Amino acid sequence: MSKITAAITAVGGYVPEYVLTNQILETMVDTNDEWIVTRTGIKERRILKEEGKGTSYLAIQAAKDLLEKSNTDPKDIDMVILATATPDMPVAVTGVYVASQIGAVNAFSYDLVAACSSFLFGMSTAAKYIESGRYKKVLLIGADKMSSIIDYEDRATCIIFGDGGGAVLFEPNEEGMGVQDEFLRTDGVGRPHLKIDAGGSILPASAETVANKQHYVFQDGRTVFKFAVSNMADVSEKIMSRNGLTGEDVHWLVPHQANKRIIDATASRMNLPEEKVMMNIHKYGNTTSATLPLCLNDYEKQLKKGDNIVFAAFGGGFTWGSLYLKWAYNSN
Ligand code: UT7
């Protein structure tokens, strides 16, 4: 019997309707369109405005899109993993609520937290459940309502992030398609450089922490940028070399959408032309856990069975890594 590999068999995505453009941001903080575009590549991002709606809403919409497009019965799903850095609330697992809301009544679920690498690490986790032979349909959703943790008076962070959700379905494959290899890394040296100080167990919420704006994302952008550029390129190069892949063999790079300059540097180290790099940062910004599946959703129609795809991400912690996957189907 051939080895079971874990293939992606369907994708879905969702972004909220409200568009926060660079021009609108110019009226909110001391910034300008030219600075944002040249430093990050971002022109606009989507924001979930409606009160009472959290990350679960984005995740549910993305999952429903996948279920509808692929004609999947939610009752057949064995497991739902929600990759997110912005759960609806502490303790009550957001993924569990999402699974119930989409009708995945026979699934178990949990959230997976690895900052901007949550979805990449989630791909690794989902694949292991499939490869074990015990589970047949694992739904991996990446969703973040970044606007819930961003200070819209801080120009260093508010220009970067957006809200969104994306989903992929993993199923067993016996033709060798799906996840081939992964190289995942972490380093606690990153903790001071990208974090939220309050609201966790070290500094629980209080009137003082709210007054001090300590519930918002703090990022030392320059330091994170330096680590992201070298580490994302290193792991992508590594996964190529240990699988005997050249730039010619790789059909697509699916990079975390944090900054176009980081993506360009990674693609250049991999010897990949622009046409092979999935990019949607200009319209969504950095949606944290949703960047990779939203890329797949946008580019799905261009993907062909057997395509060699390298995923790469970098995020808070620090967390980073790359994953090599063979695409399993032709669209239409
Ligand atoms: O997804 C998780 C991982 N996160 C990342 O990968 C993000 C990594 N970091 C970055 O993408 C970049 O560091 C940023 C986009 C956040 C910032 O770009 P940068 O080129 O590193 O800018 P900088 O922080 O070094 O700031 C350069 C200048 C500063 O002015 P001075 O000190 O040179 O006078 C800033 O005050 O640009 C200024 N600046 C701005 N100007 C206009 C910072 N933010 C803005 C702004 N608009 N929004």
Side-chain angles (χ1 to χ4, degrees):
M1 206 180 88
S2 57
K3 181 178 173 280
I4 299 169
T5 48
I8 291 178
T9 57
V11 305
Y14 173 78
V15 288
E17 266 171 42
Y18 179 79
V19 181
L20 178 59
T21 62
N22 289 351
Q23 286 69 27
I24 299 173
L25 281 169
E26 283 176 2
T27 68
M28 296 161 65
V29 289
D30 180 16
T31 190
N32 59 79
D33 177 57
E34 205 250 326
W35 191 96
I36 301 173
V37 172
T38 52
R39 296 289 180 127
T40 70
I42 303 167
K43 295 194 169 99
E44 56 191 44
R45 57 299 283 140
R46 301 301 185 96
I47 304 293
L48 181 58
K49 283 272 194 189
E50 291 94 322
E51 236 172 84
K53 286 183 178 166
T55 293
S56 61
Y57 180 80
L58 303 164
I60 290 165
Q61 301 308 312
K64 281 184 177 169
D65 183 48
L66 179 149
L67 294 173
E68 204 171 296
K69 270 169 34 186
S70 60
N71 229 343
T72 301
D73 183 345
K75 293 192 194 72
D76 293 338
I77 294 172
D78 300 308
M79 177 185 191
V80 175
I81 303 173
L82 177 63
T84 188
T86 53
D88 281 1
M89 55 181 81
V91 185
V93 179
T94 306
V96 171
Y97 176 74
V98 171
S100 294
Q101 290 296 308
I102 62 171
V105 290
N106 297 310
F108 72 102
S109 174
Y110 57 79
D111 296 350
L112 191 150
V113 184
C116 287
S117 304
S118 298
F119 191 83
L120 185 84
F121 285 22
M123 288 176 78
S124 163
T125 305
K128 303 299 175 294
Y129 279 97
I130 296 292
E131 288 160 6
S132 75
R134 190 167 291 160
Y135 303 95
K136 304 289 180 228
K137 286 186 196 290
V138 175
L139 181 65
L140 171 64
I141 310 170
D144 270 304
K145 185 182 169 187
M146 293 306 291
S147 61
S148 65
I149 52 170
I150 294 300
D151 177 2
Y152 285 92
E153 292 179 354
D154 175 13
R155 69 175 183 173
T157 51
C158 74
I159 57 135
I160 301 169
F161 294 99
D163 301 338
V168 300
L169 186 65
F170 277 97
E171 292 187 87
N173 185 282
E174 296 202 353
E175 292 180 291
M177 299 295 139
V179 176
Q180 308 292 309
D181 194 12
E182 66 186 30
F183 186 56
L184 309 182
R185 307 290 302 136
T186 60
D187 188 344
V189 71
R191 178 139 127 164
H193 305 298
L194 182 46
K195 59 176 179 172
I196 296 176
D197 276 319
S201 56
I202 291 181
L203 188 60
S206 68
E208 200 185 339
T209 60
V210 172
N212 292 339
K213 296 184 153 202
Q214 288 170 295
H215 300 269
Y216 292 128
V217 169
F218 164 83
Q219 176 173 245
D220 168 8
R222 223 173 279 190
T223 304
V224 177
F225 184 88
K226 264 191 240 154
F227 276 94
V229 163
S230 59
N231 286 326
M232 243 171 86
D234 282 353
V235 290
S236 305
E237 202 173 42
K238 170 120 183 165
I239 207 137
M240 285 171 74
S241 69
R242 79 180 187 188
N243 287 281
L245 299 170
T246 65
E248 302 251 302
D249 305 316
V250 174
H251 297 90
W252 294 99
L253 167 65
V254 188
H256 174 50
Q257 310 280 306
N259 187 316
K260 185 173 183 297
R261 289 184 291 145
I262 299 172
I263 297 171
D264 290 345
T266 304
S268 150
R269 277 274 288 283
M270 295 170 72
N271 282 322
L272 290 186
E274 221 175 37
E275 313 85 73
K276 288 185 171 185
V277 182
M278 292 193 192
M279 191 91 75
N280 55 21
I281 190 169
H282 53 286
K283 50 182 184 171
Y284 305 143
N286 181 351
T287 55
T288 302
S289 308
T291 59
L292 302 183
L294 277 175
C295 277
L296 289 179
N297 193 49
D298 281 2
Y299 283 80
E300 184 186 17
K301 290 211 160 52
Q302 296 181 53
L303 299 176
K304 298 198 174 51
K305 185 173 174 181
D307 277 358
N308 290 318
I309 305 185
V310 173
F311 295 79
F314 184 90
F318 294 129
T319 55
W320 72 99
S322 62
L323 185 144
Y324 164 35
L325 172 141
K326 274 186 183 292
W327 196 249
Y329 64 95
N330 297 314
S331 283
N332 306 322

